[in-house]
């Protein structure tokens, strides 16, 4: 490692977790709440930095740490040759297996942008293992840390445990780059408004239909503000299949008890061609209490785009990245937006939709955009190794190309990441604080 302050970039990609079973069926394993939201995109390579490579900036000497829940089925000897260390936390696989294509795609994206960088890989299954994985990478003095996951059902103000893990890494000298999340059209927030039977009333009725699912599985998370401890298990999300005038109960949520915020979840395989909706029921004393419903797999009939950024991207010390269509430059319809508490919530946006050997399909989502951003940050650190995390974030944001309203906004932040400009500017920036 270079003789400078440890600079760690946490890069969050969103992965498909194998979550099976719900309360009314067999007991499921502990869910990681990490779900892919794959959208269609043109096959494309990862490019736009050839002039930097031609100038000798390849990320040489920069360490990139990647944390992923799928493991890393690396596609080629070329990428494998860049790996300096691997470690598995819990039952997640760190080696090569079909389920590791998401982590592999993130690693290959970074490698293509910064082929001279060294890769450090860590896989995990639970939030506790996520924390241990991040700590291990920080101890290994990585300069860039890629964490391709999103944790649902957590508080949206940056105070959740997984967000605190990211903040702690930043305070230790880490430049944290996180994926905003893929739930812009699968997010609803409001206040509990029960009828006489305790069924919540949305703006148009008690049913919120699930639209345009990306997979043959429905995953839903609901969190709420605690009124008393007993209410942790007293709110239920029910999944129904609708057939004309008939509705059949398919699954009901179960409490998620490994988090400080009261929340419930369900995940169930469904017929992709069926018509499904969810209902929320709860006790009368929750009347008026804020609720947040998230489906990483489906669009919701009633949505609240604002505040859809997902932990750990909600952390205060994170460079949060949204996704734009690389062809049009427009924000992807799934890309989560802020604000987060009193902050915009999204700092910059970057392209996604890369065609990579690691995947048979395209690598699409805010995870892909964040991987792109992390590779660019590795080049920034190659150009100026003494930059502190705050200075890295500042130069990334100040050189972004505006894509939304004038100034910083909660949808695209400072704008689209400009790799050539940011790296060249970084070479002329002092370390700063």
């Amino acid at each position: 490692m270079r003789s400078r302050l440890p600079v760690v970039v946490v890069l969050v990609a969103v992965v498909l977790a194998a979550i099976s079973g719900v309360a009314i069926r067999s007991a499921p394993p502990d869910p990681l709440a990490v779900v892919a939201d794959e959208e269609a995109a043109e096959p494309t390579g990862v490019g736009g930095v050839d002039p930097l490579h031609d100038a000798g900036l390849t990320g040489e000497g920069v360490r990139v740490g990647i944390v992923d829940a799928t493991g890393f089925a690396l596609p080629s000897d070329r990428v494998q040759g860049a790996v300096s260390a691997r470690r598995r936390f819990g039952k997640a696989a760190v080696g090569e297996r079909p389920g590791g294509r998401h982590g592999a795609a993130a690693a290959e994206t970074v490698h293509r942008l910064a082929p001279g960088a060294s890769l450090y890989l860590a896989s995990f299954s639970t939030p506790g293992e996520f924390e241990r994985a991040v700590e291990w990478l920080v101890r290994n003095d990585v300069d860039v840390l890629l964490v391709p996951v999103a944790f649902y059902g957590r508080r949206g103000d940056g105070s959740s445990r997984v967000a605190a893990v990211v903040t702690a890494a930043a305070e230790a000298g880490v430049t944290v780059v996180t994926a905003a999340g893929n739930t812009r059209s699968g997010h609803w927030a409001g206040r509990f408004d029960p009828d006489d039977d305790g069924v919540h009333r949305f703006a148009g009725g008690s049913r919120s239909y699930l639209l345009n699912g990306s997979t043959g599985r429905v995953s839903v998370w609901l969190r709420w503000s605690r009124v008393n401890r007993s209410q942790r298990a007293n709110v239920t999300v029910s999944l129904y299949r609708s057939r004309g005038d008939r509705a059949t109960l398919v699954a009901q949520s179960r409490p998620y008890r490994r988090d400080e915020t009261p929340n419930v979840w369900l995940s169930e395989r469904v017929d992709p061609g069926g018509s499904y909706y969810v209902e929320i029921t709860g006790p009368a004393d929750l009347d008026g209490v804020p609720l947040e419903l998230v489906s990483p797999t489906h669009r919701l009939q009633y949505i609240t785009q604002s505040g859809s950024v997902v932990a750990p991207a909600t952390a205060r010390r994170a460079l949060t990245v949204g996704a734009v269509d690389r062809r049009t430059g427009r924000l992807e319809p799934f890309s989560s937006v802020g604000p987060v508490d009193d902050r915009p919530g999204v700092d910059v946006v970057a392209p996604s939709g890369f065609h990579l050997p690691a995947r048979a399909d395209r690598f699409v989502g805010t995870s892909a955009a964040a991987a792109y951003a992390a590779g660019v940050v590795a080049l920034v650190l190659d150009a100026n190794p003494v930059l502190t995390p705050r200075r890295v974030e500042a130069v990334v944001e100040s050189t972004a190309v505006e894509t939304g309203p004038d100034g910083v906004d909660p949808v695209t932040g400072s704008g689209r990441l400009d790799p050539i400009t940011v790296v060249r500017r970084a070479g002329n920036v002092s370390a700063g604080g």
Side-chain angles (χ1 to χ4, degrees):
M1 180 177 178
R2 302 177 176 188
S3 58
R4 57 179 170 82
L5 291 174
V7 181
V8 184
V9 177
V10 178
L11 200 159
V12 180
V14 183
V15 300
L16 182 63
I19 305 172
S20 61
V22 289
I24 63 174
R25 300 192 176 183
S26 59
D30 181 36
L32 176 61
V34 185
V35 185
D37 189 0
E38 301 289 338
E39 300 285 343
E42 292 288 336
T44 167
V46 180
V49 295
D50 287 347
L52 300 175
H53 292 175
D54 293 342
L57 293 169
T58 64
E60 186 72 29
V62 178
R63 297 184 176 192
V64 179
I66 306 176
V67 175
D68 194 274
T70 69
F72 301 88
L74 298 179
S76 68
D77 292 339
R78 177 175 53 82
V79 180
Q80 292 176 37
V83 177
S84 293
R86 301 178 183 228
R87 184 163 176 182
R88 180 180 66 232
F89 293 84
K91 297 180 180 179
V94 75
E96 298 182 20
R97 64 183 180 92
R101 64 179 187 156
H102 184 275
E108 185 175 2
T109 299
V110 173
H111 181 73
R112 287 194 174 196
L113 286 153
S118 300
L119 304 181
Y120 291 72
L121 311 179
S123 58
F124 70 97
S125 296
T126 68
E129 293 163 5
F130 166 75
E131 181 173 2
R132 291 165 52 204
V134 171
E135 291 172 347
W136 175 74
L137 288 165
V138 172
R139 288 197 304 271
N140 273 271
D141 291 330
V142 296
D143 304 298
V144 180
L145 171 62
L146 170 55
V147 186
V149 295
F151 294 89
Y152 302 103
R154 270 63 177 181
R155 290 194 295 264
D157 59 0
S159 63
S160 66
R161 181 60 189 168
V162 291
V165 170
V166 164
T167 297
E171 291 174 347
V174 178
T175 303
V176 180
V177 180
T178 59
N182 298 339
T183 59
R184 179 177 163 204
S185 59
H187 174 265
W188 173 86
R191 293 185 178 275
F192 186 53
D193 181 19
D195 61 16
D196 292 341
D197 295 325
V199 180
H200 172 72
R201 293 173 291 200
F202 293 96
S206 62
R207 302 178 178 183
S208 181
Y209 279 87
L210 305 176
L211 312 172
N212 295 350
S214 60
T215 68
R217 177 179 291 279
V218 171
S219 294
V220 177
W221 287 76
L222 176 73
R223 72 174 179 87
W224 64 96
S225 298
R226 187 195 305 277
V227 176
N228 61 64
R229 188 169 184 81
S230 66
Q231 288 170 349
R232 177 173 286 274
N234 285 349
V235 180
T236 302
V237 179
S238 299
L239 174 66
Y240 292 89
R241 180 167 185 174
S242 178
R243 293 184 176 93
D245 294 335
R246 294 181 56 197
T248 304
L249 179 65
V250 175
Q252 287 185 311
S253 61
R254 67 193 310 264
Y256 183 70
R257 301 185 183 279
R258 295 192 177 187
D259 191 65
E260 66 280 6
T261 303
N263 62 81
V264 296
W265 66 283
L266 68 80
S267 186
E268 182 73 3
R269 292 194 179 278
V270 296
D271 175 4
S275 177
Y276 297 88
Y277 66 87
V278 294
E279 287 186 348
I280 301 171
T281 57
D285 59 356
L286 275 183
D287 189 2
V289 168
L291 305 176
E292 184 175 44
L293 182 70
V294 176
S295 175
T297 58
H298 287 72
R299 287 177 52 210
L300 297 175
Q301 179 182 4
Y302 303 104
I303 64 172
T304 307
Q305 295 186 17
S306 177
S308 52
V309 173
V310 182
T314 53
R316 286 192 170 271
R317 294 290 303 275
L319 181 67
T320 299
V321 182
V324 293
D325 186 318
R326 66 171 300 277
R327 300 160 298 176
T328 66
R330 295 175 181 171
L331 189 72
E332 293 281 19
F334 54 78
S335 185
S336 296
V337 302
V340 172
D341 201 16
D342 58 349
R343 296 165 282 136
V346 175
D347 296 304
V348 293
V349 291
S352 82
F354 311 127
H355 183 71
L356 303 167
R359 299 175 66 102
D361 54 358
R362 273 77 64 195
F363 187 30
V364 180
T366 57
S367 55
Y372 185 97
V376 171
V377 169
L379 299 179
V380 166
L381 295 176
D382 189 359
N384 193 337
V386 299
L387 289 182
T388 65
R390 289 189 184 277
R391 294 299 287 165
V392 171
E393 294 170 16
V395 72
V396 167
E397 294 171 8
S398 66
T399 56
V401 179
E402 283 193 355
T403 57
D406 291 342
V408 179
D409 66 83
V411 177
T412 61
S414 295
R416 177 174 48 81
L417 177 64
D418 184 337
I420 304 297
T421 301
V422 68
V423 174
R424 288 177 174 169
R425 178 78 60 83
N428 297 314
V429 173
S430 61

